[in-house]
Amino acid sequence: MNDGKWRRSGKRLGASTILAFLFLAPGMVWGVESLKSKPGFNLFKMQQDVQLGKENAEQIDKELPLVTDPQVLRYINDLGRRLASLAPHNNSEYAWTFKVVNSSDINAFALPGGYIYVNRGAIVAAENEAQIAGVMAHESGHVVMRHGTHAVSQALLAQAPLAILGGILGQTGSLTAQLAEMGLGLGVNSILLKNSRSAESQADEVGTYILYQAGYDPHAMAQFFEIVEKKYPQKTIQFFADHPVPENRIKVVDSEIPRLGPAKEWKTDSPEFEATKERLLSLPATPAPPASAGSSGPPPLPSSRLIKFEGKGFSIDYPDNWQMQQNEDAVALIPPGGIVEDAESGSAQAYGTSISRFQPQSSRQGNWGLIDATQELLDTMRLSNPNLRVIKQGGMKLEGRAALSTLLETDSPLQGQKERDLLVTTRQSDSLFSLIFIAPESLFDAYKPTFDAMLQSLELQ
Ligand SMILES: [Zn+2]
């Protein structure tokens, strides 16, 4: 977050879309005809989904630690294939291969063509079979809706005319290599894994449908996502970065369920699930992710060694494992990985400090107050952060000057998380000097001592 310097405006599903969604429910049409969604625009053939998925799976198998326990793999593959066999828009070409990543983070992802990865942490966090079935049914939804190759198709279309694409994608050889040549990186940080909110809604819709057909309580999927997001905010960062939470997830999913058919006596758990969970809990602790696994997990905590940054008219100390980015009207001090790239909302600072000067409108009249000018800055920030909320505000001293400290809450660019911001403002000649200290809510307390030390080191001219 910050005052709009690093954040481009995001597209959000508007309230009217949600309403349309709810009122469209056509009563008694049950079964696959009741699915609203179909796979979207796609330049790839179905077999190419499988080829691309296979090539990337080979890459990912090298990048991520996998559970090799045969009993766990048999259970997950039996369950996964049973669910996939009920998926709409299924295709006999799909591989439907399920692997378990040996990580305590709660995550799951699907490659095109039916290569699905579920983290050990997700299985252990599930309270029963219906919940983990929900996760796997959701991932199967990404496969049958072809979200991976749909996203690549859109990216390709943006950079090359169709005629050229037809030629390239028609060739034989490694698709992954051809796409890499066009600048589309693959592996664990691939565009194949970054879902849009609308893709998420579709995967929810398919996942709910599959759960119903398989005899599980179809509420289990959305409930699991909501529970783990609240209960384990630090373990779900990657999941919600790749699977942005659709607005009103539970409500929208609940409204789908009556269209699927009459309520049944739901299956909730199985002895096989409980045995698998126990087996995973008894395996040795999960290894630390390799450095190449990229953006999984939060940045390392701030170093206690501080270095000085000399800016225009001020200086401040900051942790020596952070980086500095500067443009003409703002300075950002950022931990590694503290900027989040998101296909829908652009790039935004999720951790660190942003320092800038603000020119209040009221300054034109010469005589202006700190509180009014800070209010004006907050109004400006709300243009790109409509959910920005003041938690508390109070006076403080900054190098002997009157200053205002404002604690804020807003949506973090880390999908599905809340963010805390400490805004400190003071007057510096005719402008408002502002520092924003940023961290996800769950980590704010861990960053607070660093933020305090930085504030104490501030020197203003
Ligand atoms: Zn998803």
Side-chain angles (χ1 to χ4, degrees):
M1 107 132 256
N2 61 28
D3 39 344
K5 296 289 173 354
W6 313 93
R7 185 196 288 266
R8 296 191 290 274
S9 67
K11 256 187 297 175
R12 294 261 151 85
L13 207 55
S16 59
T17 322
I18 302 279
L19 283 178
F21 205 104
L22 293 175
F23 287 119
L24 274 174
M28 291 284 127
V29 190
W30 289 345
V32 71
E33 314 76 48
S34 71
L35 275 184
K36 290 179 307 298
S37 307
K38 289 195 182 66
F41 160 76
N42 209 305
L43 292 165
F44 294 80
K45 298 192 195 79
M46 197 75 82
Q47 299 92 305
Q48 290 179 310
D49 274 43
V50 182
Q51 188 193 342
L52 198 57
K54 186 164 182 283
E55 289 173 9
N56 277 271
E58 283 164 7
Q59 176 64 34
I60 281 172
D61 290 354
K62 285 183 214 147
E63 291 181 34
L64 297 179
L66 297 175
V67 170
T68 54
D69 183 89
Q71 192 182 316
V72 171
L73 291 180
R74 191 178 333 117
Y75 170 75
I76 284 296
N77 277 277
D78 285 352
L79 174 62
R81 287 182 189 146
R82 181 154 52 85
L83 296 167
S85 72
L86 301 165
H89 309 289
N90 197 356
N91 187 287
S92 59
E93 304 262 349
Y94 289 147
W96 298 121
T97 299
F98 298 82
K99 293 179 185 172
V100 178
V101 180
N102 197 1
S103 162
S104 59
D105 282 348
I106 298 168
N107 196 11
F109 60 91
L111 292 167
Y115 296 86
I116 291 177
Y117 293 76
V118 184
N119 276 20
R120 170 184 182 167
I123 301 171
V124 171
E127 287 160 358
N128 52 47
E129 184 170 89
Q131 290 187 356
I132 199 65
V135 174
M136 295 166 76
H138 173 98
E139 296 304 328
S140 307
H142 285 304
V143 173
V144 296
M145 289 294 169
R146 306 182 68 202
H147 288 146
T149 48
H150 170 70
V152 176
S153 298
Q154 286 188 315
L156 286 174
L157 196 60
Q159 68 185 81
L162 273 174
I164 300 177
L165 291 175
I168 291 170
L169 300 178
Q171 285 168 14
T172 52
S174 163
L175 266 179
T176 306
Q178 289 170 47
L179 293 174
E181 261 172 51
M182 303 180 78
L184 294 170
L186 300 168
V188 288
N189 291 317
S190 167
I191 182 177
L192 291 173
L193 304 179
K194 309 285 175 213
N195 293 297
S196 65
R197 269 179 231 276
S198 61
E200 281 311 298
S201 297
Q202 284 195 339
D204 277 0
E205 189 191 355
V206 173
T208 307
Y209 173 87
I210 294 174
L211 281 187
Y212 178 86
Q213 300 300 330
Y216 294 105
D217 181 351
H219 300 91
M221 177 199 67
Q223 282 169 352
F224 177 72
F225 290 146
E226 189 161 282
I227 292 167
V228 296
E229 188 189 355
K230 289 214 178 86
K231 210 164 150 190
Y232 310 101
Q234 295 184 49
K235 291 186 163 209
T236 49
I237 291 173
Q238 193 60 41
F239 182 81
F240 291 110
D242 292 347
H243 302 261
V245 181
E247 260 181 84
N248 296 328
R249 165 172 256 159
I250 295 233
K251 253 195 193 163
V252 170
V253 167
D254 285 356
S255 75
E256 303 256 333
I257 292 171
R259 306 192 311 140
L260 295 170
K264 305 175 187 175
E265 202 162 308
W266 309 119
K267 182 176 155 124
T268 309
D269 208 359
S270 74
E272 292 79 15
F273 171 75
E274 293 302 328
T276 301
K277 191 167 159 174
E278 231 165 83
R279 189 131 183 113
L280 283 174
L281 286 168
S282 74
L283 290 179
T286 55
S292 63
S295 65
S296 53
L301 285 174
S303 158
S304 56
R305 284 187 307 269
L306 303 181
I307 48 177
K308 191 174 283 296
F309 171 73
E310 298 271 0
K312 272 184 227 151
F314 73 98
S315 70
I316 193 169
D317 294 351
Y318 67 102
D320 69 357
N321 64 338
W322 289 15
Q323 284 158 358
M324 191 271 297
Q325 281 185 19
Q326 187 170 206
N327 64 25
E328 52 206 286
D329 41 28
V331 174
L333 302 164
I334 316 159
I339 297 270
V340 178
E341 296 287 340
D342 179 274
E344 278 186 62
S345 58
S347 59
Q349 187 175 357
Y351 296 86
T353 306
S354 168
I355 304 169
S356 57
R357 280 190 190 81
F358 177 72
Q359 212 62 60
Q361 290 287 321
S362 45
S363 70
R364 300 221 183 98
Q365 284 103 49
N367 191 9
W368 53 278
L370 184 57
I371 292 177
D372 287 347
T374 301
Q375 188 53 48
E376 224 185 289
L377 172 61
L378 288 170
D379 291 343
T380 310
M381 288 162 71
R382 273 201 192 91
L383 297 176
S384 55
N385 291 286
N387 292 334
L388 191 71
R389 198 168 67 79
V390 173
I391 298 174
K392 63 176 181 196
Q393 191 169 53
M396 64 181 288
K397 286 272 186 227
L398 205 55
E399 273 219 293
R401 295 165 197 245
L404 198 59
S405 152
T406 311
L407 188 63
L408 300 161
E409 182 195 79
T410 188
D411 296 329
S412 170
L414 300 161
Q415 299 297 354
Q417 297 207 52
K418 286 281 172 207
E419 176 176 293
R420 275 286 149 96
D421 302 296
L422 177 65
L423 168 70
V424 176
T425 43
T426 190
R427 199 174 164 151
Q428 194 186 32
S429 61
D430 65 340
S431 54
L432 188 71
F433 184 85
S434 81
L435 305 110
I436 308 175
F437 298 95
I438 307 158
E441 191 174 42
S442 57
L443 289 172
F444 191 81
D445 287 346
Y447 276 76
K448 187 73 180 11
T450 304
F451 294 159
D452 290 341
M454 292 174 73
L455 259 182
Q456 288 218 330
S457 75
L458 181 77
E459 287 177 25
L460 279 169
Q461 285 155 26

